[in-house]
Amino acid sequence: MKKWSSAWAGLAISYGSIVVVIVLLICSFFYIYFSRSYNEELQNKNQLILENTTRTIEGTILQRVQQMYVDLSLDKSVDIRLFAEPSTRSGLDSVIDLQELLKSKVAGNADMIQAIHLYYPGQNIMLSSLYGLRYNADQGEGSAYYSDWLQDMRTSKQNSLWTASRQVPQDIFSSVPGGTSGGSNALLTYTHSYPFQSTGETGDVYIAIDVKESAISSIIENMMPSQYKSTFIVNPMGNTISNANADTLGQPREYDASIRKTLQSGNAKGSFDDKIGNTSVVVSYQTLPLTGWTIYSAMPSSFYYEQSIMVQKLILGICMIAIVIGLALSAVLLRANYSPIKRLVSRIKDLSGPAATQITNEYRLIDNAFMQLNDKVSSLEETLLANSPAIKHNAVLNLLHGGYSREQWAEERTALGILHPYHAYSCLLLNTGVSHIGLSSENLPSVISRFIHGLESLSLPDSRLIAEELPDKKLAVILCTDIASEPLLDKLSQLLLSEARQQFQLDLQLSSGSWVQELADVHRSFSEAQALMKYAYFMPELHILKDRSILQREHNMDEIPQAMLAKFRDKLQSRQMDEVIVTVEQVVEHMQEGQYPADYCHFILSNMVFIYSDVVKNVRYKHPLQFGHPDLYHEYTNLHDVLAYRSWLVESVTTFVKETEKRNSERAVSTIELAKQYIEANLSEDLSLEAVGTKVFLSPKYLSKLFKEEMGVTYTDYVTSRRMEQAKVLMENNNMTIDRIASSVGYGTTAYFIKRFKEMYGCTPGHYVRNLSSAVMPEAGS
C-alpha cells in the first residue's frame, strides 16, 4: 500500500476533492441563479427583438420619409416655392408639373405613402398629390382631416413635426355620409418647413407626407408576431401611433396606466414588471430617436417562469450524473498521470545514484533534479535570451527589404524559427504609431513585446506567424502557410485588429500584401502592404486595406484644381470663415472620392497648412493658449487621418479668425491708416471693400464699419472723394485728356466719371478745365 506522502496519494485526493467540490458548487450556483439568469436572458432577447424592430422602423419608414423631403427640397426639375411669392408664380403647366412630381414620389413609395401635400401658409394654398389644388385650404370641406399638422406647424418653433395616427377617408370630399365611400386609412403625417432651416412660423412652404400606419404595424407584426397584439407605438402624449384602428385609436384603455408609467420613466429603453388587469406582465420599451415615439410591449410573466422550472430540475439531474462521471474520470486520469511520473522518477534515481532513493515524495525528487539541471543550463539560456531578439529583428528587416538571396535565406530560417519551407507567404502591416499617444514611454516596449509574443504563440493549422516592430513604429506580421487563401488572410486580419485594439485601446488600420511562393520574395508583399498603408490616412473608414486597385492611384497624374488653394488663401486672408470651411471640406472630399496619389494628397494638405501658417505669421498672430506662434506643421503631422485633419484645421482657423477679429477691434485706428495709405497709393486700381480688406487683413464688412465709426463717412464716399481730389490735381498740373484722367483715378468709363465729378463739384470736368484756363475756380459743391 502506498504511503500518504507519495504523489499517487496526493493525486487521488486532489482529483476526487476537485471533482466533488466543483460539481457541488456548479450545482448550487445554477440551482439558485439560473432561473433568474434564464429569465433575464429571455427578457434581453425580447429587448433585442424590440431594438431590431425599432431600427427596422427607422430605416425602412422614418428615414425614407425624411429622405423624400430632402429629395423634394433639392429637386431642380420644378419650383417647390411655386406659390410662396406672387413674383414666382407660374402658369397651369408649372402647377401640373409640380403635382406630377408629387404623384410620382407617392407611386414610387406606395407601400408606405398615402399622399404628399405642399401648403403655402402665406397664401393659404395647398397643392396635393391626392386632392389637387385648394385655395383657402384651412377652410371648407375636408380641411378637418389635415388641420392637425397645418395648425401645429403655423405656431411651431421647430422645423418639423410628426402627428399622431388619425382615421382619414381616402376621399375627403365624398358626398357619402361619413366620407367613407372609398374606405379610410389610419395615417400619420410628417411635416417639414422649406427652406430647410426655417421654422414652422417662418417657412415659405410646408411639405407634408401622409404615412400609412399599416406600414409600421406590418413591421411590428412580422418581427414580433407573438407580441403583436400587446405591442404599440405611442407618442410622448400617450397617443397610439401603431395598430391604430377604430377601436384602439388614441390609446388602448387597459394598457393606459402601464403606458403612462413607461413614458414617465424618462429612459430611452428598459423593462419592468407590471400588472395589467389580473395578469402579471413584463413590460419592455424602446424609444425611436428620430421621432421621440416609444415602442411599448407587454409579455405575460408566465412566458418566462414556466420554462425555467423545468430547466432547474434538469440541472439537478445533470449535476448528480456529473459527480459520478467525474469521479470515474478522476480514477482514469490518476492512473494515466501517475505512469509518466513513475517512469521519470525511476530514470532520475538511475542517474542520481543512492542519494535519490532516500526521498519518498516523487515531486520533491523531480524538483531537485530540475534544480540541478537548471543550474547547468542557466548561463546558456541567458546568452540565447540576450541575443535572440536582435538576431530575429535583423533577419526580419533583411527579409522585408530583400537583403538576402534564396540560398542565404535557407540558412536564416532558424533565426526566424521556421523549421521547414511553407508553400505561401504574405505580409500584413499594422500601424501602431497612433497608439503611442495613449501609452507612456516606459510601458510601450513591454506592451508591444507582449503583443508580438501573443501573435507568434497563436496556434494556426498548417500556418505560422512572424511579427516584428519596424523602425517607423509599424508592426509587420509575416504569415507562413501551406494553403494560401483569402478567407485565411481575412480571418487573420480581423484577429490582428481585435487584439491590437485590446492592447492599445484605439481603432487601428491594417494593410495586407499579395501572396508570394518563396520566403525570399516576401519583400514584394511587404512593399504592397506599405503602399496600401499610405492610403489609410485618407480612408479612415476602412480598417483593412487589401484592395489592389487602390495601388493604381500611385500612377494617376490628375491634380486637385489649384483654384481651391487660391480660394482657401483669399478667403482666409479676408476672414470669410464660411467660405474657408467649405473650401477645406471640398479639398478633403476630392481626396476621399478622387484617385489622387497619397503623396500628392499629403503635398496638398501640407500646402494648405503652409498657407495658413503664412497668414498667421503675416498678422503676427499668437495662439491664446500657447507661447508664441503655434507650430501648425507639427500639429498637422500628429493627426492620424484626413477627417481629424479637417476637424483640426476648421477648429484652428475658427479660433484664429475670432482672435484676430477681437484683436482688430483694438487696433482699428492703425488699420484705417494702413487702408488709407493703400487707397492713396492705388487710386487707379480695384479699391473694393473685398480687395482692400484682404490687404489689411480685415473682413469687408468690418472694414466698412470701421470707416463709418472712425472717419464719419462711408467707405465708398471716402474713396470717391480721394479720387476726385486726385482728378483735380491732374487737371491743374497736367495737360491730360478727360479719358486719361478718368482711367488714372480708377473709373472704367468716362461717362460715369463725369457724372460723379458733377455731383461733387457742380460742374463737368471740361467746364472745370476751361475755368482753370480763365483763372476761375468754382468752389466745390456750388
Side-chain angles (χ1 to χ4, degrees):
M1 192 172 179
K2 299 186 180 292
K3 297 181 180 180
W4 287 104
S5 61
S6 66
W8 187 92
L11 286 174
I13 295 172
S14 299
Y15 284 159
S17 300
I18 290 173
V19 168
V20 173
V21 171
I22 290 178
V23 173
L24 289 178
L25 287 175
I26 293 176
C27 176
S28 302
F29 174 77
F30 277 102
Y31 187 79
I32 295 172
Y33 175 79
F34 187 84
S35 59
R36 182 177 63 182
S37 177
Y38 186 71
N39 294 339
E40 291 178 354
E41 181 181 348
L42 290 175
Q43 291 187 38
N44 291 337
K45 181 179 179 181
N46 191 46
Q47 188 71 37
L48 182 60
I49 294 175
L50 203 61
E51 292 178 4
N52 291 335
T53 304
T54 300
R55 285 194 293 269
T56 302
I57 291 174
E58 286 200 337
T60 59
I61 303 295
L62 306 182
Q63 291 179 1
R64 281 178 59 191
V65 171
Q66 293 180 350
Q67 185 60 44
M68 287 182 63
Y69 164 79
V70 174
D71 294 343
L72 285 170
S73 300
L74 300 178
D75 197 303
K76 302 300 183 182
S77 60
V78 295
D79 184 9
I80 292 234
R81 302 178 74 259
L82 185 63
F83 294 99
E85 299 177 1
S87 60
T88 61
R89 295 184 186 176
S90 302
L92 182 60
D93 290 342
S94 299
V95 176
I96 293 174
D97 290 342
L98 183 55
Q99 187 179 25
E100 288 301 319
L101 173 64
L102 301 182
K103 288 182 178 181
S104 67
K105 292 292 184 183
V106 173
N109 298 271
D111 58 325
M112 66 172 188
I113 301 302
Q114 175 76 10
I116 302 177
H117 319 289
L118 300 179
Y119 176 71
Y120 301 84
Q123 292 71 31
N124 196 17
I125 298 174
M126 184 174 75
L127 178 62
S128 170
S129 65
L130 188 60
Y131 310 134
L133 182 63
R134 284 181 57 82
Y135 293 91
N136 297 322
D138 61 352
Q139 303 173 11
E141 186 178 18
S143 62
Y145 294 107
Y146 52 80
S147 63
D148 51 351
W149 60 262
L150 191 150
Q151 297 299 332
D152 289 347
M153 279 298 291
R154 282 178 171 176
T155 59
S156 176
K157 302 293 185 181
Q158 306 296 324
N159 59 8
S160 66
L161 61 82
W162 284 89
T163 67
S165 296
R166 65 193 186 283
Q167 293 289 345
V168 178
Q170 292 183 0
D171 183 5
I172 63 174
F173 309 116
S174 173
S175 61
V176 177
T180 59
S181 63
S184 63
N185 290 317
L187 302 177
L188 51 146
T189 302
Y190 172 72
T191 310
H192 200 298
S193 61
Y194 179 88
F196 183 82
Q197 295 181 342
S198 62
T199 65
E201 293 179 337
T202 62
D204 295 337
V205 187
Y206 302 157
I207 301 178
I209 304 174
D210 287 341
V211 182
K212 299 177 182 178
E213 180 276 333
S214 58
I216 297 178
S217 295
S218 63
I219 293 176
I220 299 176
E221 184 174 9
N222 291 334
M223 300 190 70
M224 305 175 65
S226 60
Q227 299 109 294
Y228 173 64
K229 292 185 178 180
S230 60
T231 300
F232 310 94
I233 298 181
V234 295
N235 63 13
M237 284 73 72
N239 298 322
T240 302
I241 301 300
S242 71
N243 203 7
N245 53 50
D247 298 327
T248 62
L249 188 61
Q251 179 177 312
R253 296 296 97 193
E254 60 181 308
Y255 296 92
D256 181 78
S258 182
I259 292 177
R260 186 164 55 251
K261 186 185 300 183
T262 299
L263 297 176
Q264 292 174 353
S265 68
N267 298 323
K269 64 179 180 179
S271 63
F272 59 87
D273 295 330
D274 203 358
K275 198 164 187 178
I276 299 178
N278 296 322
T279 304
S280 296
V281 297
V282 176
V283 174
S284 300
Y285 61 93
Q286 176 79 27
T287 300
L288 284 81
L290 290 179
T291 60
W293 299 339
T294 300
I295 298 185
Y296 166 92
S297 178
M299 178 64 71
S301 300
S302 59
F303 174 79
Y304 302 100
Y305 302 129
E306 290 177 356
Q307 299 183 40
S308 64
I309 295 175
M310 179 184 67
V311 174
Q312 290 178 0
K313 295 179 180 178
L314 180 62
I315 290 173
L316 291 175
I318 292 175
C319 289
M320 296 302 296
I321 296 173
I323 291 177
V324 176
I325 296 175
L327 292 175
L329 290 176
S330 296
V332 175
L333 290 174
L334 173 61
R335 186 178 185 86
N337 289 333
Y338 185 71
S339 294
I341 294 175
K342 183 178 180 180
R343 291 194 298 270
L344 181 60
V345 168
S346 177
R347 182 62 177 168
I348 291 174
K349 288 181 177 181
D350 292 340
L351 296 175
S352 301
T357 59
Q358 303 299 322
I359 302 176
T360 58
N361 187 278
E362 293 89 338
Y363 289 129
R364 188 179 302 168
L365 179 63
I366 295 171
D367 183 63
N368 288 338
F370 274 101
M371 287 293 292
Q372 296 174 8
L373 181 61
N374 183 64
D375 293 338
K376 294 178 181 179
V377 301
S378 59
S379 60
L380 180 60
E381 287 182 345
E382 292 175 0
T383 303
L384 291 175
L385 288 174
N387 295 326
S388 59
I391 295 172
K392 178 199 167 190
H393 181 75
N394 291 331
V396 170
L397 291 182
N398 286 327
L399 174 63
L400 296 178
H401 294 94
Y404 291 135
S405 64
R406 287 178 173 81
E407 293 75 14
Q408 289 173 317
W409 275 120
E411 301 175 359
E412 295 292 334
R413 284 198 184 97
T414 54
L416 299 175
I418 301 176
L419 302 180
H420 67 277
Y422 289 90
H423 293 96
Y425 305 86
S426 180
C427 183
L428 296 91
L429 200 59
L430 187 66
N431 183 14
T432 63
V434 295
S435 66
H436 296 180
I437 300 172
L439 296 172
S440 64
S441 58
E442 294 82 5
N443 296 333
L444 180 60
S446 61
V447 171
I448 293 179
S449 177
R450 288 198 306 270
F451 183 59
I452 291 175
H453 178 72
L455 292 179
E456 294 185 339
S457 300
L458 287 176
S459 178
L460 301 174
D462 301 321
S463 302
R464 188 182 185 287
L465 293 180
I466 301 172
E468 192 63 44
E469 185 183 15
L470 303 180
D472 59 355
K473 303 304 181 183
K474 292 184 175 63
L475 187 68
V477 180
I478 301 173
L479 172 60
C480 313
T481 183
D482 287 330
I483 303 175
S485 65
E486 289 303 318
L488 173 62
L489 200 58
D490 293 340
K491 182 178 180 181
L492 178 60
S493 299
Q494 294 291 348
L495 177 62
L496 285 175
L497 284 179
S498 175
E499 291 297 325
R501 289 167 183 163
Q502 184 177 359
Q503 291 289 337
F504 302 111
Q505 289 82 46
L506 283 175
D507 280 338
L508 306 178
Q509 290 178 283
L510 176 146
S511 62
S512 60
S514 58
W515 291 99
V516 295
Q517 296 180 348
E518 296 290 340
L519 182 62
D521 294 332
V522 166
H523 64 277
R524 298 209 308 264
S525 181
F526 173 68
S527 297
E528 281 192 10
Q530 276 189 314
L532 287 171
M533 183 57 72
K534 292 195 298 184
Y535 293 91
Y537 187 91
F538 303 96
M539 302 177 180
E541 72 281 357
L542 294 181
H543 296 296
I544 300 176
L545 291 93
K546 62 177 182 177
D547 187 359
R548 303 292 179 271
S549 63
I550 296 176
L551 299 178
Q552 296 176 3
R553 296 174 59 166
E554 290 291 289
H555 308 291
N556 195 334
M557 303 300 292
D558 293 341
E559 294 185 357
I560 293 175
Q562 291 299 312
M564 287 190 178
L565 295 180
K567 180 181 178 183
F568 174 75
R569 177 188 293 105
D570 294 341
K571 299 305 179 182
L572 185 59
Q573 289 176 341
S574 60
R575 312 294 191 274
Q576 299 183 38
M577 193 59 230
D578 293 339
E579 295 294 332
V580 171
I581 294 175
V582 170
T583 305
V584 172
E585 291 179 346
Q586 287 176 346
V587 172
V588 172
E589 182 179 354
H590 269 67
M591 291 181 179
Q592 289 194 298
E593 297 180 359
Q595 295 295 315
Y596 308 104
D599 293 335
Y600 171 73
C601 291
H602 277 294
F603 170 75
I604 295 298
L605 296 180
S606 300
N607 273 354
M608 294 182 70
V609 173
F610 289 138
I611 291 171
Y612 177 30
S613 180
D614 288 341
V615 173
V616 167
K617 292 177 182 178
N618 287 337
V619 299
R620 297 180 177 87
Y621 168 72
K622 294 184 179 180
H623 198 284
L625 301 180
Q626 297 176 348
F627 296 101
H629 294 292
D631 189 352
L632 298 175
Y633 188 76
H634 179 71
E635 293 179 15
Y636 156 62
T637 56
N638 287 330
L639 300 173
H640 53 81
D641 61 55
V642 72
L643 300 183
Y645 172 90
R646 179 182 62 189
S647 301
W648 163 78
L649 187 56
V650 169
E651 181 180 355
S652 180
V653 170
T654 301
T655 303
F656 163 69
V657 171
K658 289 181 179 178
E659 290 297 322
T660 52
E661 291 289 353
K662 177 181 178 182
R663 187 182 68 180
N664 287 341
S665 65
E666 299 171 356
R667 58 174 189 178
V669 175
S670 62
T671 301
I672 288 182
E673 288 302 320
L674 291 175
K676 289 167 63 178
Q677 292 175 13
Y678 180 80
I679 292 170
E680 201 66 31
N682 297 273
L683 288 174
S684 63
E685 305 298 330
D686 179 15
L687 293 180
S688 63
L689 276 169
E690 290 77 6
V692 178
T694 300
K695 297 299 181 181
V696 296
F697 304 105
L698 287 182
S699 66
K701 183 178 179 181
Y702 187 63
L703 180 60
S704 176
K705 178 182 176 183
L706 284 181
F707 259 88
K708 185 65 176 177
E709 293 177 351
E710 300 296 332
M711 302 293 294
V713 296
T714 64
Y715 174 82
T716 302
D717 289 344
Y718 177 80
V719 172
T720 301
S721 66
R722 295 309 306 147
R723 282 175 165 167
M724 292 304 169
E725 289 294 328
Q726 179 65 18
K728 286 174 59 180
V729 172
L730 294 176
M731 292 176 189
E732 294 169 0
N733 301 322
N734 294 283
N735 187 17
M736 298 172 62
T737 64
I738 300 301
D739 292 343
R740 289 191 60 191
I741 292 174
S743 176
S744 299
V745 295
Y747 286 95
T749 61
T750 305
Y752 185 66
F753 166 70
I754 295 173
K755 177 183 176 183
R756 297 295 291 164
F757 190 91
K758 185 174 182 180
E759 289 175 354
M760 180 164 288
Y761 296 112
C763 65
T764 64
H767 184 67
Y768 182 81
V769 171
R770 287 192 296 272
N771 287 341
L772 284 176
S773 62
S774 303
V776 178
M777 175 63 70
E779 296 186 14
S782 62

